[in-house]
Amino acid sequence: MKKDDIIKLEYEKTQDSAEHYNTMTWTLIAVGIGFSLLLLKFTLLDLLEENFFNVNNYSLQNLAISIGLFVILYFRNLVEGASEKKVFKYGICKIIEKENNFYGQNSEIDNLLISGKHDGIKFFRTSLLILVLLFSATSLFLMANFSSQTIKMLPEIDITNTLIVYGTFLSQIILVWYFFKYEKFYEKSETKVQEILKKLRREKLK
């Protein structure tokens, strides 16, 4: 196989891989945000129910919030990983284009008015932040009401239900802490990919 054919094959494979991760990124974004919104809807709609403020209902609502926060963290990790690979693969395509004087379709995307200025991952991060804040606000509201009612019903409280509610609330605190703690990690990972691509660009195009 000729060198030109090898280069073209590598370019095509890299392009296909980049498109695969791009599709994966948007699919995971849709599934993750959609499932989180479903759980949030389930929790918020119950605020309108007359029997919502029965202390025995709080454990289910708190569990839904904990699951929602866990889903956010899980899908964020999947999406960030797929996005990282996508950016790297497209970066390799740009290097191959410049190195071999191909038409720079991937390089030209950066100059487009919409596609070049807006990145889906930023939309995803903003959406997750809003969801986490909504889940957190709902959780605090639930716990404030639960605590006030528990004090009034001290002789008659259900110990098991109370332990479940406070246990799930503790898990929510840990999940929210984890969300904000690793916020910078994903940004650093994104910067690391760009540094690797810059290094490869200098080596290939010098």
Side-chain angles (χ1 to χ4, degrees), residues 59-70:
S59 57
L60 186 59
Q61 309 308 318
N62 253 359
L63 181 61
I65 293 174
S66 295
I67 293 174
L69 290 170
F70 177 79

Side-chain angles (χ1 to χ4, degrees), residues 3-42:
K3 182 179 179 181
D4 289 347
D5 293 332
I6 295 175
I7 293 173
K8 289 179 181 178
L9 180 61
E10 181 182 2
Y11 179 74
E12 290 174 0
K13 293 294 184 182
T14 306
Q15 180 78 18
D16 290 344
S17 181
E19 291 173 0
H20 164 72
Y21 283 114
N22 184 53
T23 302
M24 183 187 293
T25 298
W26 282 104
T27 301
L28 289 170
I29 286 176
V31 173
I33 291 180
F35 190 38
S36 298
L37 285 173
L38 183 64
L39 288 168
L40 185 62
K41 177 185 176 182
F42 168 75

Side-chain angles (χ1 to χ4, degrees), residues 48 89 117:
L48 304 177
K89 296 290 184 178
K117 304 301 179 185

Side-chain angles (χ1 to χ4, degrees), residues 104-162:
Q105 59 174 338
N106 290 293
S107 300
E108 289 300 322
I109 288 177
D110 296 335
N111 298 322
L112 298 179
L113 291 177
I114 298 177
S115 300
K117 304 301 179 185
H118 298 280
D119 189 354
I121 200 67
K122 294 178 182 178
F123 159 79
F124 176 69
R125 288 171 180 167
T126 302
S127 299
L128 289 195
L129 176 61
I130 293 172
L131 282 170
V132 167
L133 292 176
L134 285 173
F135 272 118
S136 300
T138 306
S139 175
L140 291 173
F141 178 78
L142 288 175
M143 290 307 300
N145 281 279
F146 179 79
S147 298
S148 63
Q149 291 190 49
T150 300
I151 292 173
K152 296 176 183 177
M153 301 174 58
L154 275 177
E156 304 172 1
I157 61 171
D158 184 339
I159 299 298
T160 302
N161 182 66
T162 302

